[in-house]
Amino acid sequence: ELVGNWRRAEEVEGQALALAESLGDVYWRAACQTALAEVARKHGRFDEAFDLLDHAAKGFEALRDEGGVGKVLHLTGTVAAQRGDYAMAVEKYEASLAIRERLGDKASMGGLLSNLGVVAEYRGDFDGSRRFHERALALRIEIGDRWAIAVSENNLGMIELLQKRYEEARDRFRRTMLLAREVGDPWMAALVHNN
């Protein structure tokens, strides 16, 4: 996925799902369904993504795996946001954030705050969006996740751009580009070029 070889990613995840099913492994079946849902989402196959996530949620709930449930809620929120259902997206993100805070999962908390910032941006609340993104960036710096730092820098760059702070936006995008190249993420690099 990271290098953009979606077909191979989906193929490997499908093989892993078949293996998990043949073993009757509920955890890995749900984990594979979640991974496949992410690929489906990135290809705009939202109905398929929702269906996979529904099955994954049932598996994680049966195991009482809060981390798995939190991940499914997070991804369900992202699919909802991409479909324009912002109320559902916020609901799912906040439910996932509560789980992640309970678990002390700072990486996922950063992702959720980032996603809440994106939804606030889509709703035109740029100041609210900035606050979410700044909180996400602080967590990501704390844990040293350079790829996630790049995401936060890019998101803050978009807010700078929307608020007509062009020099600040350019500086954020330049930092993002350097980080994207450093971690080897061509998709992020292309996104930043576009921005």
Side-chain angles (χ1 to χ4, degrees):
E1 284 185 46
L2 185 60
V3 298
N5 190 347
W6 302 107
R7 186 171 3 143
R8 180 67 181 141
E10 196 164 20
E11 181 181 297
V12 171
E13 290 160 353
Q15 291 170 354
L17 177 59
L19 181 59
E21 288 176 343
S22 73
L23 296 172
D25 191 312
V26 176
Y27 174 82
W28 284 109
R29 182 175 58 230
C32 292
Q33 289 165 332
T34 304
L36 284 165
E38 177 68 354
V39 174
R41 176 193 71 80
K42 288 180 178 177
H43 281 98
R45 300 187 325 251
F46 301 131
D47 290 339
E48 179 183 343
F50 274 134
D51 186 53
L52 285 161
L53 290 168
D54 182 55
H55 289 294
K58 289 174 182 161
F60 287 129
E61 287 165 1
L63 296 170
R64 298 177 189 231
D65 182 327
E66 277 196 296
V69 171
K71 186 171 186 174
V72 168
L73 286 167
H74 188 160
L75 189 50
T76 302
T78 300
V79 176
Q82 287 182 295
R83 285 196 128 167
D85 188 344
Y86 303 138
M88 178 187 207
V90 169
E91 174 192 332
K92 299 298 182 182
Y93 288 152
E94 288 177 346
S96 182
L97 183 59
I99 291 170
R100 296 309 186 172
E101 287 172 339
R102 230 179 3 264
L103 297 175
D105 182 351
K106 291 181 181 181
S108 295
M109 289 165 55
L112 288 155
L113 290 166
S114 181
N115 289 136
L116 285 163
V118 170
V119 172
E121 174 191 332
Y122 291 168
R123 288 177 156 175
D125 179 7
F126 301 142
D127 291 332
S129 178
R130 177 186 302 278
R131 286 190 296 275
F132 280 123
H133 290 312
E134 287 172 346
R135 287 175 59 199
L137 180 59
L139 281 171
R140 290 167 164 179
I141 289 170
E142 182 182 334
I143 62 174
D145 185 337
R146 298 183 69 69
W147 179 84
I149 292 167
V151 171
S152 286
E153 287 285 359
N154 182 65
N155 290 341
L156 283 163
M158 285 305 300
I159 298 305
E160 302 289 10
L161 183 64
L162 292 166
Q163 293 187 318
K164 302 185 185 328
R165 296 177 183 148
Y166 300 120
E167 288 183 32
E168 293 89 342
R170 184 191 60 232
D171 291 344
R172 295 261 187 205
F173 291 145
R174 284 182 177 161
R175 283 194 294 273
T176 304
M177 183 61 66
L178 290 173
L179 287 165
R181 288 181 180 150
E182 191 176 299
V183 300
D185 187 343
W187 184 85
M188 174 64 76
L191 177 69
V192 176
H193 274 298
N194 180 66
N195 292 344

